[in-house]
């Protein structure tokens, strides 16, 4: 769910030491959240905000989703919520998840769990009333943090020191966590890009050793993770580590991250405005078949193809043929590869995107069929090459001359 408008939080205590960490403000002030937690704790159960909301609050980052973990079994969560006049939807009851709606806001409430059996893609779970068991089945220590309604943080697996150091570490043994779900390899690099400054050496070694397990993961899930990874503020180091471990070549054959740091620098130098981030970075990597490897949508695949074509054109020509956004993406990629955009390039792209060919088929009644198509294509090429300056009369002469029409002479 979307948190309240004020995202301010405070990390009242250091991540190390005897005094427990505490968060305050922001999403904790939501009456709807307080009501859901109170329904469960009032019946004697633990009910805690868990995972990303706690992590981001402690880091001072925006909180996008608020998940709740509880010792109450799912049917008990349903019963208590309904009795309190809240809407309870069994969105994932087999896995212990109930969506509880309070004051129009939906919260996923999941019973504490422990893994019973895993196969590298999914896990069979058993419900638990033990927070430590629930924490031990999570992926990274910084994601295994819990907070009660007062903001007091519970840290069953030592995630606070890791969070304070921005150190990404698996819960327990890295190999065990990965073999439970091989997608965690990509999640490791994604979280490193977003939240990490350093990576646990055991984690890096385990990702490299077990990388071939990613063959068990669907391309749709891999694509989902790669989109998020490439959307990080600066994914260059994480992607470089992926390449070093042999992971990048498995998920994106042919990808070359060598110019990614320069692209990040170009983005900072020239600005990106509202331009989509991950498509540009994916295009820079120039994988052999990114659309197939990541199961891109038809629109996403077309965008990648157009950016690749735009790289061989001037900025204004690219804007004319593919639109301003695609042209801007190509300009930034070219800048990363050492071709700096000229002064006023934004205005040049706007001019190219707004340009319209001054002639159409009706202006060439002398021609038909393939000859007409070829003539219009020649005229359009001349129009673009002239920086959109040629007028309709000039272009008509070029079109007909290109076809060797007898009524057009060089001195006309």
């Amino acid at each position: 769910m979307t948190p309240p408008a004020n995202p301010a939080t405070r990390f009242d205590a250091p991540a190390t030491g005897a005094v427990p960490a505490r968060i305050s403000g922001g999403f904790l002030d939501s009456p709807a959240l307080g009501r859901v937690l109170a329904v469960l704790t009032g019946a004697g159960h633990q009910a805690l905000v868990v995972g990303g909301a706690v992590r981001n609050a402690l880091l001072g980052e925006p909180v996008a989703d608020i998940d709740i973990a509880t010792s109450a079994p799912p049917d008990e969560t349903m019963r208590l919520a309904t009795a309190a006049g809240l809407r309870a939807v069994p969105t994932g009851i087999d896995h212990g998840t109930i969506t509880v709606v309070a004051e129009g806001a939906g919260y996923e409430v999941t019973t504490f769990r422990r893994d019973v059996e895993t196969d590298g893609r999914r896990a069979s779970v058993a419900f638990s009333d033990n927070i430590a068991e629930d924490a031990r089945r999570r992926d990274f220590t910084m994601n295994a943090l819990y907070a009660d309604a007062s903001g007091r943080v519970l840290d069953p697996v030592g995630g606070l020191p890791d969070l304070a150091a921005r150190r990404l570490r698996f819960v327990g043994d890295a190999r065990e966590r990965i073999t439970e779900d091989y997608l965690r390899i990509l999640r490791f690099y994604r979280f490193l890009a977003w939240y990490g400054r350093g990576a646990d050496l055991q984690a890096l070694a385990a990702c490299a050793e077990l990388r071939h397990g990613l063959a068990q993961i669907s391309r749709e899930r891999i694509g989902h993770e790669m989109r998020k990874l490439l959307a990080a503020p600066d994914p260059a180091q994480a992607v470089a580590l992926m390449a070093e471990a042999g992971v990048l070549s498995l998920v994106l054959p042919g990808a070359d991250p060598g110019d990614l740091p320069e692209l990040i620098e170009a983005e900072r130098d020239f600005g990106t405005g509202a331009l989509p981030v991950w498509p540009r970075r994916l295009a820079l990597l120039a994988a052999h078949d990114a659309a197939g490897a990541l199961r891109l949508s038809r629109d996403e695949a077309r965008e990648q193809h157009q950016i690749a074509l735009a790289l061989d054109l001037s900025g204004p020509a690219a804007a004319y043929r593919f639109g301003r956004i695609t042209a801007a993406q190509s300009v930034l990629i070219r800048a990363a590869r050492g071709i700096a955009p000229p002064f006023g390039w934004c205005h040049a792209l706007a001019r190219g995107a707004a340009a319209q060919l001054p002639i159409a088929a009706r202006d060439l009644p002398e021609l038909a069929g393939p000859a007409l198509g070829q003539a219009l294509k020649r005229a359009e090429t001349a129009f673009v090459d002239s920086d959109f300056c040629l007028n309709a009369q000039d272009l008509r002469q070029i079109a007909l001359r290109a076809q060797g029409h007898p009524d057009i002479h060089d001195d006309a």
Side-chain angles (χ1 to χ4, degrees):
M1 63 152 288
T2 302
N6 173 20
T9 56
R10 186 173 71 254
F11 198 170
D12 285 339
T16 56
V19 179
R22 184 176 296 276
I23 56 178
S24 61
F27 68 84
L28 284 177
D29 291 336
S30 166
L33 173 63
R35 187 177 175 191
V36 174
L37 295 175
V39 163
L40 295 165
T41 58
H45 302 289
Q46 278 188 295
L48 306 162
V49 178
V50 64
V54 180
R55 177 199 64 229
N56 283 20
L58 291 170
L59 292 175
E61 299 282 349
V63 173
D65 296 296
I66 301 172
D67 296 322
I68 297 172
T70 181
S71 59
D75 56 349
E76 176 73 352
T77 298
M78 289 276 293
R79 185 186 69 79
L80 290 171
T82 302
L86 303 178
R87 184 182 175 205
V89 184
T91 47
I93 193 167
D94 291 342
H95 299 282
T97 300
I98 306 297
T99 298
V100 178
V101 182
E103 300 179 21
Y107 299 88
E108 287 195 354
V109 182
T110 303
T111 303
F112 293 156
R113 298 175 293 180
R114 57 182 173 83
D115 289 339
V116 175
E117 184 179 359
T118 59
D119 62 4
R121 291 178 298 173
R122 61 184 67 86
S124 299
V125 298
F127 301 137
S128 171
D129 60 2
N130 188 315
I131 186 176
E133 288 187 331
D134 188 72
R136 284 196 294 269
R137 70 174 299 276
R138 296 182 180 271
D139 48 11
F140 311 116
T141 58
M142 64 171 61
N143 290 341
L145 298 170
Y146 304 72
D148 63 19
S150 73
R152 182 173 63 97
V153 175
L154 286 71
D155 180 17
V157 294
L160 283 171
D162 289 333
L163 187 67
R166 296 289 189 111
R167 178 175 55 245
L168 191 62
R169 184 168 64 88
F170 281 98
V171 173
D173 183 77
R175 295 185 80 264
E176 290 182 8
R177 296 291 80 74
I178 290 173
T179 54
E180 289 167 356
D181 183 355
Y182 287 104
L183 188 66
R184 284 175 172 170
I185 294 174
L186 295 186
R187 284 175 58 82
F188 173 82
Y189 292 109
R190 193 242 294 183
F191 278 88
L192 184 63
W194 277 96
Y195 304 110
R197 293 198 187 108
D200 178 64
L201 294 179
Q202 182 195 55
L204 289 171
C207 287
E209 177 189 351
L210 300 172
R211 64 188 184 277
H212 293 289
L214 286 167
Q216 301 183 31
I217 305 300
S218 72
R219 293 183 183 183
E220 287 82 1
R221 294 181 73 198
I222 289 173
H224 183 71
E225 285 297 322
M226 289 300 297
R227 288 175 178 85
K228 289 185 175 181
L229 190 161
L230 291 174
D234 184 354
Q237 180 187 22
V239 175
L241 288 171
M242 287 178 68
E244 183 179 325
V247 173
L248 186 63
S249 61
L250 284 177
V251 297
L252 273 176
D256 182 358
D259 291 328
L260 190 54
E262 286 72 22
L263 177 59
I264 305 302
E265 184 176 352
E267 292 170 351
R268 293 168 180 161
D269 289 345
F270 300 110
T272 59
L275 292 178
V277 173
W278 71 262
R280 172 175 62 252
R281 295 169 177 177
L282 178 60
L284 173 93
L285 296 177
H288 295 325
D289 179 17
L294 304 184
R295 283 291 191 268
L296 300 183
S297 70
R298 183 177 300 176
D299 288 344
E300 291 168 343
R302 182 173 62 250
E303 181 180 25
Q304 290 295 304
H305 180 63
Q306 290 181 345
I307 293 175
L309 293 176
L311 289 171
D312 293 327
L313 302 174
S314 69
Y320 171 79
R321 298 191 181 279
F322 305 117
R324 189 174 180 178
I325 290 178
T326 296
Q329 304 284 48
S330 70
V331 167
L332 290 167
I333 293 173
R334 285 159 60 89
R337 293 173 177 169
I339 306 173
F343 179 77
W345 65 276
C346 288
H347 295 293
L349 297 192
R351 187 178 69 255
Q356 294 184 347
L357 186 65
I359 66 171
R362 64 178 177 273
D363 300 309
L364 301 170
E366 302 90 339
L367 303 176
L372 175 61
Q374 293 170 10
L376 286 172
K377 185 174 181 180
R378 299 282 182 85
E380 185 176 47
T381 299
F383 178 61
V384 173
D385 290 346
S386 74
D387 201 22
F388 319 108
C389 292
L390 290 176
N391 59 33
Q393 183 178 355
D394 294 333
L395 293 171
R396 173 177 157 76
Q397 290 182 352
I398 290 170
L400 294 177
R401 186 183 302 123
Q403 298 300 321
H405 196 278
D407 292 338
I408 300 298
H409 304 286
D410 289 338
D411 59 352

